Amino acid sequence: FKLRQLEEGFARMKGDVEFRLNALEKPAGEPVPAETSPAAVVPPPAGAPKPAVAAPAPKPVAAAPAAPVKGANANADWAAAAPVVRAKDWPAVESAMTAFIANWPTASQIPQARLNLGRSLAGRNQHAAAAKVFLELYQTAPRTIQAPEGLLGLATALNGLAKPKDACKVLAELDSVYGATLKPAQQDAAKAQRTKAKCAA
């Protein structure tokens, strides 16, 4: 019965939430500014004096954290990533968890890795990407202790995306599937997100 509940929950959520998240990942392309287009560049007349002030140099692009090197086994890589997770160094956490999931897809730590990855994205206000990771956590590991946290993270991300109706659906799913097993802190977090989304009682 519990498994059937979870399967029904997937069907209810998947269409609504995934459709909106996919739409958020396809923003319209930005037009090329007129001053930088080739047609707008007019060469100076012959013999004209050079400008006294040089054009500003382009700002350097910050380099992304280097991807961690794959270790001897999943436990070694997990231990190596622990310090950046504890420090909440979000760019480093994202790099470490992304590499861990890719390198060790069947490891027992994968649900926690997805939870850490979602939190790192949410910590930098990347709500759409965080929502996808949290949804994937719930879909792939619904019977783990991380699954309720995944739904809470998903509801929080949807509120961050100004999608209160979707957040309310996720919170209803959280209550129907895990309501009896939620810890007090999780209940408080769900209540706060429900209030923010102005869900119906």
Side-chain angles (χ1 to χ4, degrees):
F1 174 75
K2 194 70 174 177
L3 184 58
R4 187 163 63 250
Q5 266 193 323
L6 295 173
E7 290 172 349
E8 290 172 356
F10 297 157
R12 285 197 300 272
M13 288 181 57
K14 198 169 184 180
D16 286 341
V17 178
E18 281 193 330
F19 176 81
R20 289 166 173 79
L21 294 179
N22 288 335
L24 287 168
E25 289 188 335
K26 299 176 182 177
E30 295 183 0
V32 178
E35 61 270 15
T36 60
S37 63
V41 178
V42 179
K50 293 182 179 180
V53 180
K59 294 181 180 179
V61 179
V69 178
K70 184 176 181 179
N73 54 56
N75 289 337
D77 278 358
W78 191 252
V84 295
V85 174
R86 285 195 296 268
K88 296 184 179 180
D89 181 351
W90 297 134
V93 171
E94 181 180 349
S95 179
M97 295 300 103
T98 299
F100 187 89
I101 293 167
N103 291 336
W104 311 104
T106 60
S108 61
Q109 298 97 333
I110 287 294
Q112 185 63 45
R114 286 201 171 100
L115 183 60
N116 292 344
L117 177 57
R119 286 173 172 170
S120 72
L121 292 164
R124 291 183 290 146
N125 296 320
Q126 297 183 21
H127 298 303
K132 290 201 73 171
V133 173
F134 287 132
L135 179 60
E136 187 176 20
L137 166 58
Y138 175 56
Q139 290 176 331
T140 57
R143 295 201 281 182
T144 62
I145 60 173
Q146 292 85 6
E149 290 289 340
L151 284 183
L152 277 171
L154 177 56
T156 304
L158 289 169
N159 269 333
L161 291 166
K163 301 285 184 183
K165 290 183 180 179
D166 293 328
C168 290
K169 289 179 183 178
V170 171
L171 292 167
E173 182 77 6
L174 174 71
D175 188 56
S176 67
V177 178
Y178 305 108
T181 61
L182 292 178
K183 299 175 182 178
Q186 292 172 329
Q187 293 173 356
D188 291 343
K191 183 179 179 181
Q193 293 303 319
R194 202 172 280 115
T195 299
K196 186 173 182 179
K198 299 180 180 179
C199 303

